[in-house]
Amino acid sequence: MTRPLVIVGDSMLDVDIEGAATRLSPEAPVPVVDTERIWKRPGGAGLAAVLAARTGCEVVLVTAVGDDADGQALTDLLADAGVRLVALQLAGNTVCKTRIRVGGHSMLRLDHGDGSASGAPVPPAVAEVLEQAGAVCVADYGRGVTAHREIRELLTRVARRLPTVWDPHPRGSRPVPGCWLITPNSAEADGDSAESLREQWAARAVCVTLGPKGALVATENGNAHHPVPDSAARAGHGDTCGAGDRFAIAATMSLAEGKDVHEAVADAVDAASRFVAAGGAVGVSSAAPVGQGPSATTESTAITGDIADVRDRLRSRGGTLVATGGCFDLLHTGHVRLLRQARGLGDALVVLLNSDASVRALKGPRRPVVADQDRARVLAALACVDAVVIFDELSPEAALAQLRPDIWVKGGDYTEADLPEADVVRRHGGEVVLLPTVAGYSSSNLIAAARS
């Protein structure tokens, strides 16, 4: 997309507390969860915006944000993800949803916060970003943004000229007429067919999502079923939290590219299935070990060596395997931030490092300035890196075919079209994530400045 993707809807802060339960409390017959890690991420429309930003496109989020600690945490997470925020006023406190999870399964959810969008006039920036948008995705979570009179008027006008996808909510507002696609799940459809909902909502198309069974689509030309691709179905089932947001974002982006609704739904089924198989919303969370402080160990335990050995040793630990790659010739702040964010997407991070010969072929005869073994030692010393593997080819495709990571991470200065290895990752059930880069940092620029 050459123009911004605008997300409109209700946001919240989501927290996952992961731990182990090996005993019962002496006070009551309930399990005691020993906390191992806390994950935080934007929820609702905020999660949709983060998922969109990780495809590499420009994303603007129109949402109500509270002036409290949870609201500030939400704002910071969105900024870290590269999402531009256009804030509406929030009446009440930021909604925060906390899940207690053991072994990948939710045991309990605790909610606090009563915030909803106020009826105050919307800032002029809302109309401006919608005018500049390439497509719009509405993520309604029943907290008042889509009920705002001015927002509804703006969205009604937008739907006449731009791809507009509406992801509804049982407590939310009726979608505005003319939406290009509305995406309720089977529970939200409440027994109504996609065809009847399309008529009720005066939409161009309605798609009822069915989880592992795919999706049913109704258009003015009839109905169609889009099953989950075999490759995604074989990958197994992960956490479904956020799957609806991933579906709606993928459909919006496909419509913006000029695809018809059936092509867009097929793309969305594929994207949502892979998202769930790769771990769901946990894969887009910021994580930190509980109790980590100044006294925490910094000794490197990273694995180096043969890729098959690295893969088998890390897979034996379980969890989500993340990989990234590059030359890393003069490690800088941008590299470190990308590596830390990549590690936060899963349970182990492998860095695929271009060898000296590979760097010379890519960068020229005067590179690298640091030999591959030394670059590997520096990377392995970082607490966020679990393994480093050096490869000789120009592209990491062959290494990825052996490693088969759940998530492949690259910086946001790339697009998926720039990554020939993306097909290899997806062929083995993995997901490609593009993380925002830190402006102003470049190994090539640093080396040029030092030489001058």
Side-chain angles (χ1 to χ4, degrees):
M1 289 180 59
T2 57
R3 304 180 74 181
L5 172 59
V6 177
I7 315 293
V8 179
D10 312 287
S11 297
M12 56 209 70
L13 181 66
D14 282 351
V15 179
D16 284 348
I17 298 177
E18 293 270 7
T22 58
R23 65 192 190 281
L24 294 177
S25 169
E27 303 164 356
V30 295
V32 175
V33 178
D34 294 312
T35 303
E36 296 172 344
R37 183 175 291 180
I38 298 175
W39 307 78
K40 293 186 178 182
R41 63 180 176 275
L47 176 59
V50 170
L51 293 172
R54 288 188 170 173
T55 67
C57 71
E58 181 183 355
V59 178
V60 183
L61 173 62
V62 177
T63 192
V65 179
D67 185 18
D68 52 26
D70 287 338
Q72 186 59 55
L74 175 60
T75 299
D76 291 343
L77 288 167
L78 291 168
D80 288 344
V83 174
R84 177 187 166 196
L85 176 64
V86 176
L88 309 175
Q89 289 187 24
L90 186 78
N93 299 318
T94 300
V95 174
C96 179
K97 298 182 178 181
T98 302
R99 297 189 299 171
I100 312 297
R101 292 167 55 80
V102 174
H105 300 285
S106 293
M107 298 182 61
L108 179 69
R109 198 181 91 180
L110 306 172
D111 291 3
H112 69 264
D114 58 355
S116 61
S118 78
V122 302
V126 175
E128 293 171 6
V129 298
L130 288 172
E131 179 64 31
Q132 298 164 2
V136 174
C137 180
V138 178
D140 188 0
Y141 277 79
R143 290 285 174 173
V145 169
T146 61
H148 195 290
R149 180 181 58 80
E150 290 180 68
I151 295 290
R152 294 188 66 80
E153 291 174 356
L154 289 169
L155 291 173
T156 300
R157 294 202 292 269
V158 164
R160 297 189 189 118
R161 62 183 182 86
L162 288 178
T164 303
V165 174
W166 191 297
D167 190 12
H169 191 278
R171 296 193 303 273
S173 302
R174 183 186 181 91
V176 301
C179 286
W180 292 36
L181 180 65
I182 302 176
T183 61
N185 60 33
S186 54
E188 292 159 349
D190 195 25
D192 289 329
S193 68
E195 186 175 2
S196 66
L197 289 172
R198 189 183 75 82
E199 294 175 357
Q200 291 175 41
W201 290 333
R204 297 192 188 189
V206 167
C207 171
V208 178
T209 57
L210 306 172
K213 296 181 180 179
L216 290 172
V217 184
T219 69
E220 62 180 4
N221 297 320
N223 302 338
H225 175 242
H226 293 269
V228 172
D230 289 342
S231 59
R234 285 195 303 268
H237 304 296
D239 184 2
T240 59
C241 179
D245 297 300
R246 184 68 187 96
F247 185 98
I249 288 298
T252 306
M253 296 184 70
S254 293
L255 290 172
E257 293 169 1
K259 296 183 179 181
D260 66 30
V261 69
H262 291 290
E263 293 173 314
V265 169
D267 289 347
V269 169
D270 182 55
S273 300
R274 293 182 184 280
F275 173 77
V276 171
V282 169
V284 292
S285 305
S286 297
V290 175
Q292 184 174 6
S295 61
T297 179
T298 58
E299 182 181 353
S300 171
T301 58
I303 305 168
T304 58
D306 174 76
I307 194 164
D309 180 55
V310 166
R311 177 197 63 214
D312 294 344
R313 290 172 66 183
L314 292 178
R315 284 295 188 191
S316 68
R317 301 178 186 176
T320 299
L321 182 61
V322 184
T324 189
C327 300
F328 297 98
D329 194 16
L330 288 192
L331 199 68
H332 55 66
T333 295
H335 289 143
V336 173
R337 176 173 171 175
L338 178 119
L339 292 168
R340 290 180 61 188
Q341 288 184 310
R343 179 60 174 80
L345 299 178
D347 301 285
L349 173 64
V350 179
V351 178
L352 300 180
L353 182 67
N354 293 77
S355 70
D356 292 347
S358 176
V359 175
R360 277 194 295 273
L362 291 167
K363 305 285 187 180
R366 302 183 70 191
R367 300 282 297 276
V369 297
V370 179
D372 49 21
Q373 294 297 329
D374 289 329
R375 286 183 281 130
R377 290 187 189 97
V378 172
L379 287 166
L382 298 176
C384 56
V385 174
D386 296 273
V388 181
V389 175
I390 299 172
F391 68 96
D392 288 316
E393 298 79 12
L394 298 183
S395 166
E397 291 172 83
L400 286 167
Q402 286 188 273
L403 184 62
R404 300 186 180 186
D406 300 303
I407 301 174
W408 171 244
V409 174
K410 291 295 285 185
D413 49 346
Y414 289 89
T415 67
E416 289 200 34
D418 299 326
L419 303 175
E421 69 270 19
D423 288 341
V424 175
V425 174
R426 292 201 185 90
R427 187 158 60 244
H428 297 294
E431 181 180 9
V432 177
V433 171
L434 301 178
L435 295 178
T437 56
V438 180
Y441 288 94
S442 161
S443 293
S444 297
N445 291 344
L446 289 172
I447 291 167
R451 284 172 171 163
S452 66

